[in-house]
Amino acid sequence: VEHTPGGAAEERRLRLELKSIADAGLLGFPNAGKSSLLAALSAATPKIASYPFTTLRPIVGTVVYDDFAKVRIADVPGIIEGAAKGVGLGLAFLKHLERSRVLVYVIDMAGTDNREPWNDYAILKKEIEEYSQELFLRPSIVLANKMDCPESKENLQRFIEETGVKPITISCQEREGLEEVKEVLRSTVN
């Protein structure tokens, strides 16, 4: 029997990181409505609750259009101030956005828990820029969620004045503005 004797074995230790692959990545503070948006746009069934950090790992859903085109969306757990410096699980959450071609900022326009939507947006932008300049420069969409709440209209005006950004207004609970989001997602991703 012919054979070739084996040589010395080679050992390696590898550290592998799993990164979600999606066309668009949803980012926002805890309770901004990212999971609700994913559930409203796709067949995904993320856990939805009214307490922070309901989502503990990214969930990917697919938006399917009438002509069978598809856009994959990743719901990334809530980002908090200091995430780019490793506060909480910030770095673990931010890495899942790296493969997204479009960033979707989901802003709680109702200002739940005494939050100021314009400050939330500024903090999220800063965290992305500190984490990765390349990610910061990717195309983005800004969504003003919870527009069914009375304080949202007033906050929207101040948001526009403070940031110079006119977001797409939506209400996941009332399912308003979602068709526009789907079309903007599709045109931005393709």
Side-chain angles (χ1 to χ4, degrees):
V1 175
E2 266 188 56
H3 70 280
T4 304
E10 191 176 302
E11 267 187 48
R12 290 188 184 179
R13 284 185 182 238
L14 302 174
R15 181 177 176 185
L16 305 175
E17 285 189 350
L18 176 67
K19 294 180 185 178
S20 299
I21 299 174
D23 298 309
L26 303 178
L27 70 143
F29 274 84
N31 284 343
K34 299 176 300 297
S35 296
S36 297
L37 179 62
L38 182 67
L41 293 175
S42 72
T45 55
K47 182 177 179 182
I48 299 171
S50 61
Y51 56 86
F53 298 106
T54 307
T55 303
L56 297 175
R57 61 186 57 88
I59 298 170
V60 178
T62 305
V63 179
V64 181
Y65 295 87
D66 291 338
D67 63 356
F68 304 106
K70 296 177 182 178
V71 174
R72 290 178 318 276
I73 303 174
D75 173 14
V76 176
I79 304 296
I80 59 172
E81 191 167 9
K85 292 184 176 85
V87 173
L89 293 173
L91 293 174
F93 295 164
L94 286 166
K95 75 178 179 187
H96 289 285
L97 293 169
E98 288 179 7
R99 293 186 146 185
S100 297
R101 294 190 296 174
V102 176
L103 300 180
V104 181
Y105 292 87
V106 182
I107 308 297
D108 172 359
M109 204 51 64
T112 309
D113 300 326
N114 296 318
R115 302 200 62 82
E116 294 179 327
W118 45 93
N119 284 340
D120 286 357
Y121 179 65
I123 290 167
L124 290 169
K125 294 283 285 184
K126 180 176 161 255
E127 292 301 324
I128 294 297
E129 185 174 27
E130 286 180 7
Y131 178 71
S132 165
Q133 188 67 29
E134 180 189 344
L135 192 60
F136 179 75
L137 295 173
R138 289 199 189 145
S140 63
I141 301 167
V142 181
L143 305 179
N145 192 21
K146 302 186 183 181
M147 290 305 294
D148 53 301
C149 299
E151 52 279 348
S152 294
K153 303 257 186 286
E154 186 178 316
N155 285 342
L156 177 63
Q157 288 304 329
R158 177 134 182 228
F159 181 89
I160 294 168
E161 291 167 12
E162 296 278 340
T163 65
V165 173
K166 188 170 191 303
I168 298 170
T169 58
I170 65 170
S171 169
C172 291
Q173 184 168 335
E174 301 296 324
R175 302 188 68 79
E176 293 173 356
L178 300 180
E179 287 304 314
E180 182 180 358
V181 172
K182 286 172 69 172
E183 291 312 310
V184 170
L185 266 174
R186 182 178 184 166
S187 63
T188 307
V189 166
N190 294 326

